[in-house]
Amino acid sequence: MGDNKFSRREFIKRGIRTGLSGAGAGIFLMLTGKLSDAVQPAIKSDAGTLPDLSVIRKGTPEKAVRRAIELIGGMKKFVAKNDVVVVKPNIGWDRAPEYAATTNPEVVSVLVRMAFEAGAKKVKVFDRACDNVRRCYVNSGIEKAAKDAGAEVYSIQDGKKGYVTTKINGVSLKEWSVYGDVLECNCFINVPVAKHHGSTDLTLSMKNLMGVAGGDRGKFHTGGIDQWIADFALAVKTHLVVIDARRILLKNGPSGGNLEDVREPKTIIASADQVAADAYATTLFGKKPSDIKHIVLACRDRGGEIDVSKLRIAEENLE
Amino acid sequence: MIWFRRACQFVILLVFLYLFLQTGFIDGDRLRLPVNVFLKFDPLVFISASLSARTIVVPALFSLILVGLAVVFGRFFCGWICPLGTILNLVGLKRRKILPRTFKFYFLIFLLSLALIGIQVTGLFDPFCIFIRSMTLTIFPAADKLMLRPVFGEFRFLPVEPQNFRLGIFTLIFFFAILLVSIPAAGFWCRSICPLGALYGFVSGFSRIRRNVAETCTHCGECRQKCHMDAIGEDCFSTDKADCTLCLKCSAVCPVNAVTFTLKSGPEAANDIKAGLTRRQLIFSVVGAGLFYPVVKYIKPGMSYGILRPPGAGREKLFLEKCVRCGECMKVCPNTALQPALLESGLEGIYSPMFRMRESWCEYNCNLCGQVCPTGAIPALPIEKKRKTPIGIAEIHKDLCFPWAYGTNCAVCEEHCPVPDKAIKLTEKKGIRYPSVDPALCVGCGICEAKCPAESAAIRVYKI
């Protein structure tokens, strides 16, 4: 994928061509497959003109995120005036941002600001941490960054009020508690950091959703984690996914702690389609989407395959 | 002047409470305020920990300054500074005497004798240890649940979740007993029991401060009535320097303004009441401590395996000798992972901090307990060193562990393991990832035990 760069005009042209021909393009399959409401791409009406996902390399986190979202239609496509927006980063671990165990605070900050610029009434930022939540919020730098950008930041640790038992109706996961603010908000933006994971090999946007799952999350692990993640991700409506791959963790994830395991592809991936975004992100680790079980299962369960080479990708390298 | 003293007491009480609230992970890994300053300047903590550990307890060394001040100003500390004294002053109504004043000296010698033979129980009765421990284990968690969190929501001084400590009720009863007895018998604690007061009182015998009563005294007895320490002799002239806390009430109430306080050098004044210990009392206390020794030692540890102590605590015996049971570490621990021991390490170990990893774990990047320990029982390790200091070592019980016992994937322990290179390794066989502990890397932080999804933890931390 890496050297397949083309200008905006070119990919729009190609996009129109692919969209019109409608022959075997990933997006087309997705639309015609047996999709649940949750995963229908928000850019449906623009299917012919907008890319499935955008990949921006280099630049500053601020510029990269802004450009990435601009390319898939701009924040106004996702956030309307007076919307309540939830930005869900990974704040799971007591690590500084350099360790790539948590989402880059600058990425979180710019998303919060963009949501406000698009007219959001309120932006909420939270995660259910694994380490001590206060330490995670402070040491990841996310609490301060998000608060400075105007967001409400709070913890949703187990035992907190606000979890709602929700029908999942997945292949193996039928019902689970989900943090209510995620279900009620107008726009849910999932902002994972791309990294290694001992159980699922990689943790990207779908795995990141475990941060809004209530109850005993250990059951995910023992219940067959890949299917559960796919079931859960297809049931919780995500409007926008921004994968932070500015820094990625290659091994000893998800908690990391060793700078030698960190690489800096300085990449931001944005998409309305979490499966497509995750599928693309695997390539940063030298893997294929088919290597990651929960991606394979999510594709299967919503109908259609993910072939990264058939996704319409807008790629840019910034200065 | 008396209002100046009251203002002083009040301000120091506020400082004490503020520092107490600041004792925790507030907004960074380093504590910005010296939250343990009251304990570090507690000479009883210094002397008893130094005696029992047979070393100089350096973190509390400067408490000797206060002993020096007591040589000049007497027991001013008790009347002007001690926060527990301030509280007891407030609740005291009547002045019934229920214990002889000399009891505190017996008690002090008794406690220090026990310290000398290696039994550290002084902290159970030191006023700061009592106050901080009671606040930590009971009063603050209760206030958090009943008042602070419902009214103010989650503000930065509150822990992540309301804390629960063992021994809570017992601690509360002990604290309220002191408060309740003080209502009809004001000053009974300070006058008759407080071992720190006894220490200051002992030194005050040499102090330069004098309570002077002018010839104009009418012997009305008003000063004796008001003295909650009962430090004034029947003649209204004489003063027990070991008990006078310079509260200045006698001076304030005197109808003829006959009472003044001055600093004087030279020989003792004739109107000093001789206090302190006779040789007989001394022997009595020491023998008492000797008799108590087998009682303490008879109550043996009830657990068959080692107790998990805070990071860097070192040998169990030395740790128990240095630890004054103040509860600072339990307050500061962001995970409420440090809990007071009951009888796990015998009667002498009651209230000493220990981990119960199944309930909560030691944060890998946190060394706050070492930062607050006033005696160095928990050493102030730099964070790089703390990360490599084992508390214990994890062991997998294969009969309980999902992959090993049931052939299903799990790996929650591996996911949470905070050691950068993972002390829990996964080996994949036929699609199942089996965890195993690398003993060279494991530091026994216990997050694996806390998070293990098995009903009974399938991975547990044991003392090495």
Side-chain angles (χ1 to χ4, degrees):
Chain A
M1 264 343 283
D3 38 2
N4 230 1
K5 299 165 204 155
F6 37 89
S7 74
R8 193 177 184 194
R9 183 172 297 169
E10 272 172 327
F11 82 71
I12 289 174
K13 269 192 214 160
R14 285 199 202 188
I16 293 168
R17 227 180 295 147
T18 332
L20 287 174
S21 71
I27 186 70
F28 195 72
L29 272 176
M30 278 180 236
L31 290 169
T32 51
K34 34 172 183 170
L35 290 184
S36 77
D37 280 352
V39 288
Q40 285 194 3
I43 52 170
K44 194 174 174 180
S45 58
D46 305 293
T49 54
L50 285 169
D52 300 326
L53 69 122
S54 57
V55 178
I56 306 297
R57 300 191 191 83
K58 299 185 186 160
T60 61
E62 163 113 29
K63 282 182 181 154
V65 171
R66 284 186 183 277
R67 184 67 183 141
I69 291 174
E70 192 188 335
L71 287 181
I72 56 166
M75 192 57 110
K76 286 222 163 95
K77 181 162 287 302
F78 305 98
V79 177
K81 199 160 170 37
N82 288 326
D83 271 3
V84 175
V85 177
V86 169
V87 175
K88 197 279 180 194
N90 185 327
I91 329 179
W93 307 99
D94 176 20
R95 299 282 187 211
E98 300 80 59
Y99 290 91
T102 48
T103 306
N104 188 323
E106 289 177 73
V107 171
V108 179
S109 165
V110 64
L111 282 170
V112 172
R113 279 178 285 129
M114 287 173 77
F116 280 123
E117 287 159 19
K121 177 173 66 183
K122 197 180 268 186
V123 181
K124 301 172 176 180
V125 175
F126 49 74
D127 189 14
R128 189 174 155 196
C130 295
D131 286 337
N132 177 280
V133 58
R134 185 74 50 79
R135 297 185 61 88
C136 293
Y137 273 47
V138 171
N139 290 338
S140 69
I142 292 173
E143 182 177 52
K144 184 175 188 308
K147 273 189 178 160
D148 289 352
E152 268 180 45
V153 185
Y154 48 91
S155 77
I156 58 166
Q157 289 312 104
D158 195 24
K160 284 271 164 70
K161 283 177 192 159
Y163 281 97
V164 182
T165 305
T166 307
K167 285 263 177 286
I168 304 292
N169 288 332
V171 174
S172 28
L173 186 60
K174 301 299 176 193
E175 195 180 78
W176 200 260
S177 67
V178 181
Y179 196 65
D181 287 4
V182 173
L183 303 170
E184 286 158 20
C185 69
N186 305 102
C187 177
F188 177 58
I189 305 177
N190 189 0
V191 201
V193 57
K195 56 179 175 169
H196 169 258
H197 192 286
S199 294
T200 59
D201 292 322
L202 290 180
T203 160
L204 302 162
S205 71
M206 286 192 277
K207 172 76 179 69
N208 194 42
L209 288 176
M210 274 181 74
V212 300
D216 175 9
R217 295 185 294 181
K219 291 215 168 67
F220 271 74
H221 286 252
T222 56
I225 191 163
D226 300 302
Q227 185 64 58
W228 282 42
I229 288 173
D231 289 348
F232 193 78
L234 296 186
V236 175
K237 188 167 174 64
T238 301
H239 300 81
L240 172 62
V241 169
V242 178
I243 297 181
D244 165 28
R246 300 284 302 177
R247 301 186 189 92
I248 61 173
L249 181 63
L250 296 185
K251 58 176 189 173
N252 294 320
S255 52
N258 199 339
L259 289 177
E260 286 164 18
D261 300 336
V262 177
R263 292 292 176 277
E264 291 194 53
K266 292 198 174 163
T267 302
I268 295 290
I269 302 162
S271 177
D273 178 354
Q274 55 183 351
V275 185
D278 282 7
Y280 179 85
T282 59
T283 61
L284 296 173
F285 295 83
K287 291 179 189 289
K288 299 187 294 294
S290 56
D291 295 336
I292 308 301
K293 276 187 200 144
H294 67 262
I295 299 181
V296 173
L297 293 171
C299 290
R300 182 199 72 191
D301 295 343
R302 71 174 199 176
E305 291 165 41
I306 284 295
D307 181 348
V308 174
S309 66
K310 286 177 184 161
L311 289 172
R312 288 169 309 138
I313 300 168
E315 290 181 81
E316 269 183 31
N317 289 340
L318 301 179
E319 286 301 302
Chain B
M1 207 47 190
I2 190 164
W3 286 105
F4 179 68
R5 179 185 67 86
R6 280 178 185 152
C8 183
Q9 275 186 308
F10 184 66
V11 168
I12 285 169
L13 180 64
L14 286 184
V15 169
F16 178 84
L17 294 176
Y18 183 71
L19 289 179
F20 177 82
L21 285 177
Q22 282 277 349
T23 311
F25 181 86
I26 308 290
D27 50 12
D29 295 321
R30 293 294 314 172
L31 289 167
R32 283 175 297 126
L33 294 171
V35 294
N36 58 0
V37 68
F38 286 95
L39 289 157
K40 275 188 161 180
F41 282 87
D42 180 338
L44 185 63
V45 161
F46 172 75
I47 291 170
S48 69
S50 297
L51 277 180
S52 62
R54 289 179 177 68
T55 175
I56 301 290
V57 172
V58 178
L61 183 61
F62 288 112
S63 62
L64 293 179
I65 294 171
L66 281 164
V67 178
L69 287 174
V71 172
V72 182
F73 298 108
R75 265 183 88 173
F76 79 98
F77 185 87
C78 305
W80 289 64
I81 293 173
C82 179
L84 187 62
T86 306
I87 300 272
L88 295 179
N89 268 192
L90 285 174
V91 299
L93 290 175
K94 294 188 174 165
R95 278 160 193 78
R96 205 165 292 155
K97 292 162 216 164
I98 53 173
L99 264 177
R101 72 177 75 213
T102 45
F103 179 81
K104 63 178 177 290
F105 293 114
Y106 288 88
F107 195 46
L108 174 67
I109 299 298
F110 172 76
L111 292 173
L112 293 183
S113 308
L114 277 176
L116 197 61
I117 51 179
I119 296 178
Q120 174 61 268
V121 288
T122 315
L124 298 180
F125 302 99
D126 176 89
F128 286 101
C129 295
I130 289 174
F131 204 2
I132 293 173
R133 195 172 59 225
S134 307
M135 294 268 291
T136 298
L137 300 185
T138 312
I139 298 168
F140 182 65
D144 178 356
K145 271 174 246 180
L146 301 175
M147 192 179 74
L148 299 174
R149 207 171 292 251
V151 175
F152 302 106
E154 286 183 20
F155 65 104
R156 56 205 285 265
F157 294 140
L158 290 185
V160 175
E161 286 164 21
Q163 296 163 302
N164 280 308
F165 287 102
R166 311 157 90 194
L167 280 174
I169 295 294
F170 179 74
T171 313
L172 190 69
I173 291 170
F174 185 72
F175 187 71
F176 271 96
I178 295 173
L179 286 187
L180 285 177
V181 179
S182 293
I183 294 172
F188 103 98
W189 171 265
C190 309
R191 190 178 70 96
S192 305
I193 297 179
C194 182
L196 178 61
L199 180 67
Y200 283 132
F202 186 72
V203 178
S204 298
F206 310 100
S207 77
R208 298 274 175 246
I209 201 94
R210 295 277 182 278
R211 176 175 167 271
N212 310 301
V213 183
E215 291 300 324
T216 50
C217 170
T218 59
H219 301 272
C220 68
E222 190 65 19
C223 54
R224 293 197 64 224
Q225 281 293 314
K226 289 289 179 225
C227 181
H228 72 287
M229 295 299 284
D230 193 30
I232 299 170
E234 274 176 43
D235 57 359
C236 296
F237 276 95
S238 55
T239 315
D240 183 348
K241 289 208 295 191
D243 279 342
C244 174
T245 63
L246 302 192
C247 76
L248 308 179
K249 267 185 220 149
C250 52
S251 159
V253 298
C254 180
V256 291
N257 291 327
V259 181
T260 52
F261 284 83
T262 49
L263 279 175
K264 274 187 189 145
S265 55
E268 283 186 37
N271 61 356
D272 279 354
I273 295 174
K274 273 267 193 279
L277 283 172
T278 62
R279 182 173 299 163
R280 213 170 98 194
Q281 290 167 335
L282 187 76
I283 291 167
F284 187 79
S285 305
V286 174
V287 169
L291 291 175
F292 198 64
Y293 182 78
V295 177
V296 172
K297 286 291 170 186
Y298 181 73
I299 299 178
K300 282 284 181 198
M303 281 160 75
S304 53
Y305 48 91
I307 299 156
L308 299 172
R309 295 298 188 185
R315 286 188 2 261
E316 174 75 8
K317 185 170 175 295
L318 187 66
F319 176 70
L320 280 180
E321 286 164 357
K322 273 190 177 178
C323 170
V324 292
R325 330 289 198 251
C326 62
E328 281 278 303
C329 52
M330 304 176 207
K331 173 72 180 80
V332 85
C333 178
N335 283 352
T336 322
L338 289 173
Q339 289 279 340
L342 310 176
L343 296 176
E344 284 91 344
S345 54
L347 189 60
E348 60 179 313
I350 192 167
Y351 282 118
S352 58
M354 61 178 281
F355 283 110
R356 306 232 298 167
M357 297 297 191
R358 187 58 171 159
E359 286 161 24
S360 199
W361 68 98
C362 176
E363 277 291 331
Y364 185 67
N365 293 319
C366 173
N367 62 355
L368 290 171
C369 52
Q371 289 181 43
V372 298
C373 183
T375 61
I378 310 172
L381 299 176
I383 190 62
E384 297 77 24
K385 206 171 167 200
K386 183 266 168 184
R387 290 194 191 110
K388 294 195 166 123
T389 305
I391 297 163
I393 199 158
E395 192 185 317
I396 292 172
H397 292 250
K398 292 185 178 175
D399 50 340
L400 299 170
C401 174
F402 281 98
W404 290 106
Y406 308 108
T408 56
N409 269 316
C410 177
V412 172
C413 51
E414 190 266 359
E415 170 180 2
H416 285 86
C417 179
V419 179
D421 292 321
K422 296 281 181 195
I424 296 171
K425 305 291 186 197
L426 295 176
T427 321
E428 188 162 346
K429 264 182 228 157
K430 293 179 187 165
I432 304 297
R433 296 176 189 192
Y434 296 90
S436 57
V437 176
D438 182 345
L441 290 174
C442 179
V443 292
C445 75
I447 193 169
C448 49
E449 183 175 334
K451 305 271 182 178
C452 176
E455 198 67 33
S456 304
I459 184 164
R460 296 179 195 178
V461 179
Y462 295 99
K463 189 93 168 179
I464 303 168

